Amino acid sequence: MESPSFFIDIDGVLYDGQKPIPGGPAAIDFLRRKASPFLLVTNTTRSPVDSVESKLRLLGYAIPRDLIYTAPMATLEYLQAKWGQARLFMIADPSIDAQFEAAGHYLTRHEEPVDAVVIGTSRWPSFGDVDAAWRLIESGAEPIAMNRDLFFPDGGVKRIGAGAVVAALEAVVQRPATVIGKPNPNLFDLALAHAGFTREATIMIGDTPEVDVAGARAAGLRSILVKSGNHTFGEDTGGADWVIDSIDELPAWYARECSGA
């Protein structure tokens, strides 16, 4: 294989909670030395992209924001294409509100007429919010899931993700949610365009078979599954092309698989 380009998940691949995955910064430095381009492609909706960049820097990763592509960024592209500026009922971490407001959207957490209900990961989602969202969707608002991950890693603990809220709403409404993040192949298409990568040369590195691996396969990409983060040893790998213990093993994988390494 010639030198590939990489999409790299963040939570569970580069860090877990407030701790970097061992060997992660060195693996990123290795890719730079090999001139293998990469883009961080993440479903995280708990932080705006500036905060993601800052956290990565604090954990030893010098990765600028133009190499980070998040589900909220893709959601903003979707909203811009459909409404320009929209009225949104948010079930998401308030830390990303400014990112949406800067794009001209009106945000509320009160039950009032809106164009869409936007759902992201919130550490303690309120059932009252779900109840209000149900009525808003029944009144015509579009349900938009920035991701539908069932879990997210948080310092060695698995927590319930946005997918549980999406599932609760879909159980009572008559329309499926519009899913923006992985495993929707549209996110990978947007990320390819954002980075200028070719589909044939791009490999997704992630920790969740049903999100990272399945999404990559649907988008025509190959994938590497790491066993850190959401993945549990012995679980189905989802048909990943390669499986490694963690990002720390990426240089060794590269030496085996890439011609001229």
Side-chain angles (χ1 to χ4, degrees):
M1 175 193 325
E2 297 297 325
S3 178
S5 52
F6 295 95
F7 287 160
I8 305 174
D9 188 28
I10 298 180
D11 282 341
V13 177
L14 298 183
Y15 58 64
D16 182 0
Q18 300 302 316
K19 296 181 179 180
I21 297 295
I28 295 298
D29 290 342
F30 172 85
L31 292 181
R32 287 195 171 103
R33 292 196 303 273
K34 289 295 183 181
S36 281
F38 64 89
L39 177 71
L40 306 190
V41 179
T42 175
N43 268 358
T44 186
T45 63
R46 291 177 290 152
S47 302
V49 65
D50 288 341
S51 295
V52 174
E53 179 189 13
S54 296
K55 180 176 181 178
L56 285 165
R57 188 183 308 113
L58 288 172
L59 296 178
Y61 297 96
I63 300 174
R65 63 170 296 166
D66 62 344
L67 294 182
I68 304 170
Y69 193 71
T70 68
M73 293 169 66
T75 302
L76 286 170
E77 291 187 27
Y78 177 83
L79 294 170
Q80 174 66 33
K82 184 160 186 177
W83 285 289
Q85 296 177 338
R87 296 176 61 87
L88 309 173
F89 180 84
M90 302 292 289
I91 304 179
D93 194 296
S95 65
I96 64 171
D97 286 5
Q99 195 172 349
F100 282 76
E101 290 169 339
H105 303 296
Y106 171 80
L107 274 56
T108 184
R109 287 176 170 80
H110 300 289
E111 190 172 341
E112 56 184 283
V114 293
D115 299 303
V117 172
V118 176
I119 306 156
T121 299
S122 176
R123 186 166 181 176
W124 306 118
S126 162
F127 188 79
D129 289 342
V130 176
D131 181 60
W134 165 54
R135 284 186 293 275
L136 293 173
I137 294 167
E138 289 293 299
S139 297
E142 179 179 359
I144 299 174
M146 288 189 282
N147 70 59
R148 61 181 311 152
D149 298 357
L150 292 176
F151 308 100
F152 66 93
D154 185 23
V157 177
K158 269 189 179 182
R159 300 195 185 277
I160 290 176
V165 176
V166 177
L169 284 170
E170 288 182 336
V172 293
V173 300
Q174 301 303 310
R175 58 186 298 188
T178 299
V179 181
I180 302 296
K182 299 176 290 184
N184 189 326
N186 289 336
L187 180 73
F188 293 91
D189 293 340
L190 289 168
L192 287 168
H194 180 86
F197 294 171
T198 63
R199 196 176 305 271
E200 296 76 18
T202 303
I203 297 172
M204 177 72 214
I205 304 175
D207 66 320
T208 309
E210 61 271 23
V211 175
D212 300 306
V213 175
R217 293 185 69 182
L221 308 180
R222 290 167 293 176
S223 61
I224 299 174
L225 178 69
V226 298
K227 295 180 181 178
S228 53
N230 277 329
H231 187 263
T232 301
F233 182 78
E235 288 183 354
D236 183 6
T237 63
D241 295 278
W242 300 275
V243 180
I244 59 178
D245 283 339
S246 77
I247 193 75
D248 184 44
E249 292 187 5
L250 186 62
W253 173 90
Y254 198 105
R256 292 192 307 269
E257 300 292 340
C258 298
S259 61

